Amino acid sequence: MEQLMRDFFLFLSKNKTLTKLAKRYGLRFGASRFVAGETIERAVDVIKELNRKGLAVTIDYLGEFVDNEQEANEMANHSIEAIRAIGENKLNSQLSLKMTSMGLDISDELVMKNMRRILDEAKAHGVFVTIDMEDYSRCQKTIDIFKQLKKEYDNVGTVLQAYLYRTEKDIEDLNAYHPNLRLVKGAYKESPEVAFPDKKDVDENFKKVIKMHLLNGNYTAVATHDDAIIEYTKQLVKEHNIPNDQFEFQMLYGIRPERQEQLVREGYTMRVYVPYGTDWYGYFMRRLAERPANVAFVLKGILKK
């Protein structure tokens, strides 16, 4: 049943008609729990409140299905606007973005032009930028772009997904770049030809790549809501005397906020992934796909209205 629900919401996440409707009708039906708002001003207010609680942030202007140059340039402008807001408000925040929103599916030249514009601005304001990983078909291209940018900029990292078979090799391959990586389980529907179909195998691979990357001496963001993975990481760093400034935990805005604050009290860096913008629909559907408890929360919210 859980797998059926997951597949259903992942299917809905790719529906362009529903995406357009969602843009038109705003953050209704519980989406505001997971999305900070539609404007940078609203997002800044949310970040200030999170920072006040000792939480670090990474902010992401949501955008999907970008298929023309003008829209890709506009998405880059939104990222630059977010970087300036971080700098001007002295926020403890980084920036996350997707390559497809910068023009990945249009041309290499366009995506590199937009990424350099963003990273130049980020460098000026002391902001770190993480390139989100998308579905498997774009994985190699994203890694290739990251390698190129890492040769030019220090303030850029990327994401690797534990459910892919290739990730262990990617960790080995990227070690030469001393990368700052966010490690995640993975949230896209992938073929068993490229990804572990069973959760237990994904969990084991997640632990393996966390250990590899940390023991390589590289900065590691462990992005998970899973207590077993959090406890594994705590034990690992203790066992190998890895300092707290070599890693952090990351969670999504609106999911397990009490746990997030608890990790801060325990002395860990805890970064909250805060998305904002009008194009929230696909992101929201993937959050519902990930955890059935999220669906129950949203239904409760709708019934109360």
Side-chain angles (χ1 to χ4, degrees), residues 27-260:
L27 290 170
R28 298 179 191 179
F29 309 119
S32 57
R33 172 177 173 152
F34 307 110
V35 180
E38 296 190 346
T39 65
I40 186 63
E41 290 78 18
R42 175 67 191 122
V44 165
D45 290 342
V46 168
I47 296 169
K48 283 179 178 175
E49 180 59 22
L50 291 167
N51 285 173
R52 193 182 62 74
K53 294 175 179 175
L55 294 154
V57 166
T58 185
I59 191 174
D60 181 10
Y61 183 79
L62 294 170
E64 309 212 1
F65 306 124
V66 171
D67 56 11
N68 65 78
E69 187 169 338
Q70 184 189 341
E71 203 175 343
N73 291 336
E74 283 170 9
M75 289 297 293
N77 291 341
H78 280 294
S79 288
I80 288 167
E81 179 187 45
I83 289 163
R84 287 175 182 160
I86 291 168
E88 286 160 14
N89 290 280
K90 297 182 170 55
L91 302 174
N92 179 0
S93 181
Q94 300 178 351
L95 178 80
S96 291
L97 49 76
K98 287 184 171 54
M99 292 284 88
T100 51
S101 69
M102 296 300 128
L104 184 72
D105 296 344
I106 301 164
S107 78
D108 291 357
E109 187 186 8
L110 177 63
V111 76
M112 291 302 284
K113 183 190 80 175
N114 280 328
M115 283 306 301
R116 287 189 178 106
R117 282 173 60 209
I118 289 163
L119 287 167
D120 285 340
E121 192 71 34
K123 193 174 177 181
H125 290 279
V127 174
F128 189 83
V129 177
T130 297
I131 298 169
D132 282 335
M133 189 55 74
E134 299 177 68
D135 62 344
Y136 181 79
S137 67
R138 298 177 174 94
C139 182
Q140 188 59 53
K141 210 167 178 188
T142 301
I143 288 173
D144 291 343
I145 288 169
F146 167 69
K147 285 178 176 177
Q148 180 58 46
L149 291 170
K150 189 73 173 73
K151 290 172 186 170
E152 302 169 36
Y153 299 91
D154 291 329
N155 59 326
V156 63
T158 192
V159 179
L160 293 181
Q161 300 158 317
Y163 68 176
L164 296 180
Y165 302 135
R166 62 173 288 166
T167 299
E168 189 179 342
K169 278 203 166 58
D170 287 332
I171 291 269
E172 289 171 2
D173 179 43
L174 287 171
N175 187 40
Y177 294 81
H178 303 294
N180 176 326
L181 296 179
R182 178 193 301 149
L183 302 179
V184 303
K185 286 188 183 180
Y188 292 85
K189 185 168 172 56
E190 301 291 3
S191 155
E193 288 176 16
V194 300
F196 295 100
D198 294 334
K199 182 184 180 298
K200 66 175 187 348
D201 294 326
V202 177
D203 288 350
E204 283 312 303
N205 200 47
F206 199 8
K207 290 175 184 175
K208 184 191 278 186
V209 297
I210 289 168
K211 185 174 185 177
M212 282 177 68
H213 195 55
L214 278 169
L215 294 187
N216 281 342
N218 298 316
Y219 194 87
T220 308
V222 179
T224 184
H225 303 100
D226 185 336
D227 281 326
I229 299 293
I230 291 168
E231 289 310 312
Y232 170 80
T233 305
K234 286 180 183 178
Q235 288 306 313
L236 181 71
V237 298
K238 192 184 287 183
E239 197 182 312
H240 293 276
N241 295 314
I242 293 166
N244 277 13
D245 62 4
Q246 197 196 310
F247 73 98
E248 64 186 48
F249 293 109
Q250 293 190 2
M251 292 189 196
L252 300 171
Y253 176 64
I255 299 180
R256 307 198 69 196
E258 302 85 2
R259 187 71 170 109
Q260 295 175 13

